[in-house]
DNA sequence: TGACGCATGTAAAACGTTACATGATTTG
DNA sequence: CAAATCATGTAACGTTTTACATGCGTCA
């Protein structure tokens, strides 16, 4: 599920502009996926060429015209295939664990700081999920709710794990 | 911590060839980072040009000559700066959650299957960590051990989370 | 008046993988 | 006899971000 397929999936809900899609992307899927305009606009254009979407121009005064993209049957098929495809997870890269791996080389005070930076990152994600909650309760379908709950458990587990780590490292510093 | 910086970090342990570095990479950091030869060799060459490492040729019969790379003071500095740098987490992309988000569009039987595929992926990671254990107990420093324990807790939490999800979805299917 | 929201887009760069090529030696 | 290990490397490709460019309306 690269950005292209995810965009096709979002278009199942109905025609959207690139701008709209970015907002949907960042809000609904913000917890586990993201996309910049620099990828969205070229991808939509490419999808149109390939017949996965169709574009309709909505003329506007003052503002740039809106390009409203709508899924074709072919585009729908491409998405459904991707959705049903065997799950393959691309190699996971964890910035924090990579740092931790080399902590032996780092001065003592900076170690705790970096873990705290990680904790504040996690808290940021917890906060973002909390803000998302009303939207989930209103608009989300059953699986999107499960997605949300998975995310909440995930970040809370992560937080506890990081807290334990901090305790262990603080302990070492004082011995 | 891109591949380049991670390689520099691994070179702190002493001079290594690109081939050695790949093995260190895949075994020690395999749980949370990876690198292919297609990235390692060009990066080492570039690092030499930039004065971050120095290369010494070890002539061999039959086999290609070994290029042994050693960290320079400048390379050490570059790594230490990266290690100490403020922690920034690049946007997290979760293949599984992205799928789950669109599960409403998927036929019922395929849903459970994909979650089971995810579980078997997690089990694979748990297994890989288990295999790594002897090496950690022998060679790892204190922080690499913490790294390992973090990893173990992480995958176990993930597994439980996925199991709960499966239960919830199975429940729905039978109602 | 400056920032933000709306709305589009391009070009360059960064980062990385996959597939290919070479070729000897060892192991099953 | 085939496959894996050792050891290097290149070329093509894919994906995505960043930075830039445009320009109007609105809100503080």
């Amino acid at each position: 599920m690269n950005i292209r397929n995810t965009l096709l999936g979002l278009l199942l809900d109905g025609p959207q502009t690139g701008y709209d899609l970015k907002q949907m992307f960042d809000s609904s899927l913000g917890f586990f996926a993201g996309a910049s305009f620099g990828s969205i606009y070229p991808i939509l254009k490419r999808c149109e060429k390939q017949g996965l979407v169709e574009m309709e121009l909505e003329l506007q005064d003052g503002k740039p015209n809106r390009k409203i993209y709508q899924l074709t049957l072919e585009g729908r098929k491409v998405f459904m295939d991707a959705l049903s495809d065997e799950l393959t997870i691309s190699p996971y890269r964890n910035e924090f664990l990579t740092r931790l791996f080399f902590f032996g080389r780092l001065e003592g005070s900076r170690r705790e700081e970096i873990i705290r930076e990680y904790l504040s990152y996690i808290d940021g994600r917890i906060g973002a999920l909390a803000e998302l909650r009303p939207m989930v309760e209103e608009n989300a379908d059953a699986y999107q709710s499960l997605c949300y709950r998975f995310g909440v458990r995930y970040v809370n587990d992560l937080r506890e794990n990081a807290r334990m780590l901090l305790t262990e490292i603080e302990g070492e510093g004082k011995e």
Side-chain angles (χ1 to χ4, degrees), chain A residues 141-165:
Chain A
D141 69 27
Y143 299 99
Q144 287 158 7
S145 287
L146 287 173
C147 212
Y148 181 79
R149 278 187 270 160
F150 191 105
V152 170
R153 288 194 286 250
Y154 175 81
V155 285
N156 283 320
D157 286 346
L158 211 53
R159 190 167 193 275
E160 203 193 319
N161 206 348
R163 284 226 152 271
M164 286 174 70
L165 183 66

Side-chain angles (χ1 to χ4, degrees), chain A residues 71-169:
Chain A
L71 209 54
T72 63
L73 284 178
E74 174 64 11
R76 182 187 210 88
K77 188 183 174 308
V78 165
F79 170 77
M80 292 307 291
D81 286 350
L83 179 60
S84 185
D85 228 31
E86 197 191 333
L87 188 71
T88 52
I89 313 273
S90 53
Y92 179 78
R93 183 156 276 130
N94 188 312
E95 170 70 20
F96 173 67
L97 283 182
T98 309
R99 293 282 186 106
L100 181 56
F101 185 84
F102 291 111
F103 260 27
R105 316 290 185 166
L106 196 61
E107 27 143 9
S109 66
R110 194 72 190 102
R111 290 184 194 130
E112 271 186 44
E113 283 171 21
I114 288 180
I115 298 180
R116 287 184 199 285
E117 282 169 16
Y118 187 50
L119 275 166
S120 88
Y121 159 76
I122 295 170
D123 285 339
R125 285 168 72 87
I126 290 176
L129 276 177
E131 275 180 37
L132 217 62
R133 190 163 183 176
M135 216 194 65
V136 172
E137 276 164 5
E138 273 174 50
N139 303 320
D141 69 27
Y143 299 99
Q144 287 158 7
S145 287
L146 287 173
C147 212
Y148 181 79
R149 278 187 270 160
F150 191 105
V152 170
R153 288 194 286 250
Y154 175 81
V155 285
N156 283 320
D157 286 346
L158 211 53
R159 190 167 193 275
E160 203 193 319
N161 206 348
R163 284 226 152 271
M164 286 174 70
L165 183 66
L166 189 59
T167 309
E168 288 170 310
I169 281 192

Side-chain angles (χ1 to χ4, degrees), chain A residues 6-75:
Chain A
T6 312
L7 289 175
L8 295 179
L10 290 175
L11 283 173
L12 284 170
D13 281 337
Q16 307 285 348
T17 67
Y19 194 87
D20 295 336
L21 285 166
K22 166 132 176 80
Q23 299 205 311
M24 293 171 77
F25 221 115
D26 290 352
S27 64
S28 320
L29 300 108
F31 176 68
F32 47 85
S36 63
F37 285 125
S39 55
I40 291 175
Y41 287 125
I43 284 171
L44 286 173
K45 197 165 269 183
R46 211 184 64 211
C47 283
E48 200 196 350
K49 266 186 207 158
Q50 296 173 339
L52 308 181
V53 300
E54 277 164 7
M55 190 265 284
E56 202 180 340
L57 206 60
E58 189 185 296
L59 299 168
Q60 294 199 132
D61 282 349
K63 301 176 193 174
N65 299 324
R66 305 175 81 217
K67 293 189 169 179
I68 300 170
Y69 289 95
Q70 183 179 331
L71 209 54
T72 63
L73 284 178
E74 174 64 11

